[in-house]
Amino acid sequence: ADVPLDSPPLEIPIRAAATTDLEAIRAIYNQGIEDRCATLETEPHDAAQIAAWWALHDDRYVVAVGEDPGGTIAGWASLNRFSHRCAHNAIADLSIYVARIRGSVIATQFKRGS
């Protein structure tokens, strides 16, 4: 459902992602691929591809998820290694993906670090 722009912000709990969240992360990422506006990828990712991506993340390159009031993963964010060159060691790329929820404030909360 649409959320009026003047509605009070919806607080979305954000927590560290777990392996049990990977299917939801994959589904949301694949929505971004289908929409052709969030990534340059053109083919949906399968569970093995998401598992390989997950293996690249650790305490430094974290993955976080946001849950809607019903406990469903509504979005995720990750810090990704920018480059394997040592000169870029202090640089990370930030990805934010939000499920198709009209009027969502989840992306804003990820950016704020809530």
Side-chain angles (χ1 to χ4, degrees):
D2 289 342
V3 177
L5 294 176
D6 60 349
S7 295
L10 178 64
E11 289 299 320
I12 301 292
I14 296 176
R15 61 170 174 78
T19 56
T20 54
D21 300 319
L22 290 181
E23 181 54 32
I25 289 170
R26 184 179 75 84
I28 293 168
Y29 186 67
N30 284 342
Q31 285 179 358
I33 293 172
E34 292 167 11
D35 292 345
R36 302 290 306 216
C37 64
T39 179
L40 298 176
E41 297 284 349
T42 59
E43 297 296 323
H45 281 43
D46 61 26
Q49 289 170 303
I50 294 299
W53 167 84
W54 175 257
L56 299 174
H57 294 82
D58 54 22
D59 290 338
R60 182 172 187 181
Y61 300 104
V62 299
V63 180
V65 295
E67 296 178 340
D68 69 17
T72 301
I73 303 298
W76 60 271
S78 65
L79 289 177
N80 311 291
R81 187 177 190 115
F82 177 74
S83 170
H84 290 283
R85 294 181 176 172
C86 62
H88 297 145
N89 194 37
I91 302 171
D93 170 66
L94 172 64
S95 295
I96 299 174
Y97 286 83
V98 178
R100 291 182 189 132
I101 303 170
R102 294 185 58 98
S104 174
V105 297
I106 299 167
T108 300
Q109 285 191 239
F110 274 121
K111 289 177 191 173
R112 281 195 335 227
S114 298

